[in-house]
Amino acid sequence: MESLRVVSEWPVEHAATAVVDAEGRVLGTSGPLDHRFPLASVTKLLTSYAVLVAVEEGAVEWDLPAGPEGSTLRHLIAHASGLAFDSADVQAAPGTKRIYSNTGFEVLADAVAGATGIPFADYLAEGVFAPLGMSSSSLDGSAAAGATSTVADLVRFAAEVQHPKLVSAKLVAEATSVVFPGLRGVLPGYGLQRANDWGLGFEIKAAKSPHWTGASSSPRTVGHFGQSGTFLWSDPDAGVACVALTDRRFGEWAVAAWPPFTDGVLAELR
């Protein structure tokens, strides 16, 4: 794909990207696909999918109490538990505000580990990485931001999100639909959003502006970006997903580069 050539011009030392459709066909690539990059918060997509597996298996239920009083797994995975960004402080009642929380994801993972009796990193490896053939992926730290992976592995994950095999399509549809709609909150890097829409671990573009995806990305686009200069989005209207991994911390360069890149990919596919 010609639209991917621009990645070589990004002000980063290493970058790799790929576009994949729902059948798992890789439509285009750029850069070292087997280079392992820290994912930062793109980790949350992988963690969330492991939680979906746990729900599908009946190991946990969305209404399982976890976190602050009145909070459940559903609140935690949707950043609606009231927990602060990076501490155990409670800043709002559950379900009243979208507070993006790394701590919430760590509590979420601990709850799944407690219910299954399996360390969460092992559960993620056994329940998601192994069956998808993601042999270069690992969770070495926080369930919120501690995974490492490659573009080659993440295109397998992106194909799974579009055409689920590990869990039911119904459950993925729920995970990629708005949970606790209408909550205000800050989208990291992009400021306060009147409706900071989120699914079950998947950020949803909806009407957010500004946003890290493209101006032409559909409102149903879901995914996540990471502070390590990484992102993964899936646009169901376009029928494709895109992964981009870099080794430069998210900043103004990414704010400027990512949306036109995504628009270029979508325009070429049309």
Side-chain angles (χ1 to χ4, degrees), residues 212-269:
W212 55 274
T213 59
S216 60
S217 298
S218 79
R220 297 200 301 145
T221 298
V222 298
H224 221 292
F225 81 90
Q227 287 294 324
S228 57
T230 56
F231 70 73
L232 185 158
W233 57 251
S234 173
D235 188 335
D237 289 2
V240 295
C242 181
V243 179
L245 305 180
T246 80
D247 54 6
R248 182 177 179 184
R249 186 171 175 79
F250 173 84
E252 288 302 320
W253 75 268
V255 173
W258 289 354
F261 165 74
T262 291
D263 285 332
V265 168
L266 294 173
E268 182 173 351
L269 291 170

Side-chain angles (χ1 to χ4, degrees), residues 113-243:
T116 61
I118 302 171
F120 187 78
D122 294 341
Y123 193 85
L124 173 58
E126 295 167 12
V128 179
F129 295 161
L132 292 181
M134 297 173 64
S135 58
S136 296
S137 300
S138 59
L139 179 63
D140 306 307
S142 166
T148 304
S149 189
T150 66
V151 167
D153 274 11
L154 289 180
V155 293
R156 298 172 184 268
F157 178 75
E160 164 68 19
V161 170
Q162 295 178 91
H163 189 181
K165 295 181 176 64
L166 301 186
V167 298
S168 67
K170 181 180 179 182
L171 185 55
V172 173
E174 181 183 359
T176 54
S177 300
V178 181
V179 181
F180 306 112
L183 298 187
R184 290 167 58 91
V186 173
L187 177 63
Y190 291 90
L192 181 66
Q193 308 284 330
R194 276 177 112 175
N196 193 15
D197 288 342
W198 228 277
L200 299 171
F202 289 80
E203 196 232 317
I204 301 172
K205 184 189 178 189
K208 291 172 186 165
S209 181
H211 197 256
W212 55 274
T213 59
S216 60
S217 298
S218 79
R220 297 200 301 145
T221 298
V222 298
H224 221 292
F225 81 90
Q227 287 294 324
S228 57
T230 56
F231 70 73
L232 185 158
W233 57 251
S234 173
D235 188 335
D237 289 2
V240 295
C242 181
V243 179

